[in-house]
Amino acid sequence: MPRRLSYSARYPLHTTKEVYAALCDRAYWDARMAKMREYSPNEVISLEAGDGGIEVVLEHVLPRHMLPDLAQTVMRKDMLITRAETYGPYAPEVTGEFDATIPTAPGTLGGTMHLFPTDTGCTLRTTTTARVTIPLLGPRLEQLMLINLVDLLRAEAEFTQQWLEEQNPTS
């Protein structure tokens, strides 16, 4: 049975328009990937942003030696993750989807994103579904994937908050 998890990145004092503008900006994505390279190799493969919305494809490489022992039993090589994110056209509320593919892994990871205003700024909520099709190990690997994804989403949110402050200072 797949596991689900939601993570909310809150951006106090910043609007959905500011966050959406960042998501449209190649400089934002390049800077974000440069920051993420402190942990592992990351690249922006493509970015298309226009009136119809945003499509970005990212590539993350997790070296096998950095994977938890349980994951190393399944992964015999570095883990290559291709993550595609799509967001609809700008509106006060924006929805999107993401899909992460791992060619050598027996499972799926994907979900939805929802950018919406709050009383103090805005929030980007990511709801993820992880499914691993290995009997007995599947549930443990799904939980492991979601825990590690939350760490990644938290780091990305911290970077985005910093980027927003630099582009749109609130103080």
Side-chain angles (χ1 to χ4, degrees):
M1 174 183 288
R3 292 183 184 265
R4 298 186 87 136
L5 178 83
S6 288
Y7 177 82
S8 294
R10 292 175 178 82
Y11 302 108
L13 307 179
H14 293 285
T15 65
T16 56
K17 189 172 188 174
E18 292 169 340
V19 173
Y20 194 86
L23 295 172
C24 288
D25 188 343
R26 179 66 187 232
Y28 161 80
W29 289 102
D30 288 341
R32 184 167 125 178
M33 290 302 100
K35 178 65 176 170
M36 295 298 113
R37 274 188 218 104
E38 293 177 10
Y39 309 104
S40 67
N42 292 275
E43 289 295 326
V44 178
I45 302 303
S46 66
L47 171 65
E48 293 183 31
D51 293 341
I54 304 166
E55 292 182 18
V56 62
V57 177
L58 311 170
E59 188 174 87
H60 308 282
V61 178
L62 296 176
R64 185 174 185 275
H65 73 274
M66 291 178 62
L67 298 174
D69 291 341
L70 180 61
Q72 287 184 32
T73 63
V74 177
M75 301 300 298
R76 298 292 176 209
K77 298 179 180 179
D78 292 347
M79 185 183 293
L80 174 65
I81 303 167
T82 302
R83 185 167 109 188
E85 296 183 13
T86 59
Y87 299 87
Y90 177 74
E93 292 194 28
V94 179
T95 58
E97 297 180 349
F98 82 94
D99 181 52
T101 59
I102 307 166
T104 58
T108 61
L109 183 66
T112 61
M113 289 143 334
H114 183 201
L115 176 63
F116 58 92
T118 64
D119 291 341
T120 60
C122 69
T123 296
L124 178 59
R125 178 170 299 129
T126 303
T127 303
T128 305
T129 302
R131 180 178 173 86
V132 176
T133 56
I134 299 175
L136 301 175
L137 288 180
R140 290 176 56 200
L141 288 170
E142 290 166 356
Q143 188 65 29
L144 188 62
M145 288 169 61
L146 293 174
I147 289 168
N148 286 302
L149 182 63
V150 166
D151 291 342
L152 174 66
L153 294 173
R154 185 176 298 120
E156 291 174 347
E158 288 171 7
F159 173 83
T160 301
Q161 178 65 34
Q162 179 183 354
W163 174 269
L164 292 170
E165 278 299 313
E166 290 170 2
Q167 306 304 310
N168 309 287
T170 58
S171 51

